[in-house]
C-alpha cells in the first residue's frame, strides 16, 4: 500500500492544481509554501517532509466530500497508510497530529482562533472544536506534539497566492533523503 516517491510526485504534479479548500492557493502551492516555511525556520528534514506532505490525504481522497458536505474528512489520517514504511515517525506523526494541533492551539493561545481563515474556523467545528485542559495535556504528552504545533503554524501561513518558493524537485530531494533514513546502512 505504500506509495513510491514517484507516485507522490505524480499526485502533486497532476492533482496539485486543485484549489486548497476555500483558500486562494492550489494544493501544490500550499504544500510548497508549508515546506518552505519549515525549511527557512531551520526545521529538520523530517519535519520539512511532513510539512510538504501534510495534506496528501486531500489528494488521495480528492472527492470534495468532507467540508463541502459538513462532514470531517479526517484527511490527516488518510495518507498515513500510504506513507508508513516509506518515512519514519518523525514524518508520519506530525502529519497525523496536525489537526489536533489546531485544536490544541485554540485552547492554549487565546489569540489563535481569530487568526484562522473562515474555512479553517468552520472545519475546526467539524474536527471537534478546541481541546479542553485534559485534551490539551494528552496531546502535548505525545511524541512529536511540538513538531505538529510548528507544522500547524506553517500550515496556517501557507495560503499566500503571491509567495515564491522552490519547486517540487527541491523538496523531492528532501523526501528521498528522509525516506533513505529507513534503509539499513
Ligand atoms: Fe494544510
Amino acid at each position: 500500500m505504500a506509495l513510491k516517491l514517484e507516485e507522490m510526485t505524480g499526485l502533486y504534479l497532476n492533482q496539485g492544481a486543485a484549489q486548497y479548500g476555500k483558500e486562494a492557493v492550489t494544493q501544490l502551492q500550499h504544500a510548497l509554501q508549508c515546506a518552505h516555511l519549515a525549511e527557512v525556520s531551520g526545521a529538520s528534514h523530517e519535519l520539512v517532509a511532513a510539512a510538504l506532505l501534510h495534506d496528501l490525504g486531500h489528494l488521495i481522497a480528492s472527492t470534495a466530500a468532507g467540508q463541502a458536505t459538513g462532514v470531517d474528512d479526517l484527511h490527516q489520517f488518510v495518507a498515513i497508510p500510504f506513507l508508513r514504511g516509506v518515512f519514519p515517525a518523525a514524518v508520519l506523526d506530525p502529519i497525523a497530529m496536525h489537526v489536533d494541533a489546531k485544536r490544541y492551539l485554540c485552547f492554549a493561545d487565546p489569540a489563535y482562533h481569530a487568526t484562522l481563515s473562515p474555512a479553517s474556523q468552520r472545519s475546526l467545528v467539524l474536527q471537534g472544536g478546541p481541546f479542553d485542559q485534559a485534551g490539551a495535556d494528552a496531546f502535548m504528552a505525545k511524541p512529536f506534539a511540538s513538531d505538529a504545533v510548528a507544522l500547524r503554524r506553517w500550515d496556517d501561513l501557507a495560503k499566500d497566492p503571491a509567495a515564491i518558493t522552490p519547486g517540487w524537485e527541491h523538496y523531492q530531494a528532501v523526501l528521498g533523503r528522509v525516506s533513505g533514513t529507513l534503509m539499513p546502512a
Side-chain angles (χ1 to χ4, degrees):
M1 198 170 183
L3 283 172
K4 297 186 174 72
L5 294 185
E6 309 85 81
E7 293 170 325
M8 293 174 208
T9 294
L11 277 170
Y12 277 92
L13 296 188
N14 296 326
Q15 295 184 41
Q19 188 186 3
Y20 175 59
K22 295 184 169 54
E23 312 291 350
V25 292
T26 67
Q27 288 283 355
L28 178 60
Q29 285 176 304
H30 177 63
L32 293 175
Q33 283 181 35
C34 200
H36 183 57
L37 288 164
E39 188 172 38
V40 298
S41 299
S44 67
H45 292 302
E46 287 80 1
L47 192 49
V48 172
L52 184 74
L53 299 175
H54 76 277
D55 282 330
L56 179 63
H58 281 313
L59 296 184
I60 291 172
S62 79
T63 57
Q67 293 175 19
T69 56
V71 176
D72 183 6
D73 65 1
L74 298 174
H75 74 277
Q76 69 273 31
F77 302 123
V78 168
I80 299 302
F82 297 90
L83 300 177
R84 205 178 295 288
V86 183
F87 297 116
V91 178
L92 302 186
D93 287 11
I95 293 174
M97 295 164 73
H98 81 274
V99 169
D100 277 354
K102 178 167 75 165
R103 301 178 66 195
Y104 168 77
L105 282 166
C106 286
F107 166 81
D109 179 353
Y112 177 75
H113 185 270
T115 69
L116 294 173
S117 66
S120 194
Q121 290 183 356
R122 274 193 298 277
S123 62
L124 172 70
V125 177
L126 299 175
Q127 291 155 348
F131 277 141
D132 58 13
Q133 181 72 60
D137 290 347
F139 172 77
M140 285 310 289
K142 293 178 181 173
F144 303 109
S146 56
D147 281 354
V149 170
L151 195 167
R152 184 75 229 180
R153 298 275 196 190
W154 300 318
D155 186 8
D156 294 329
L157 292 172
K159 299 173 179 177
D160 176 1
I164 307 287
T165 69
W168 177 266
E169 320 69 46
H170 175 75
Y171 295 106
Q172 193 177 1
V174 176
L175 296 183
R177 232 177 126 146
V178 174
S179 68
T181 61
L182 280 187
M183 309 286 180

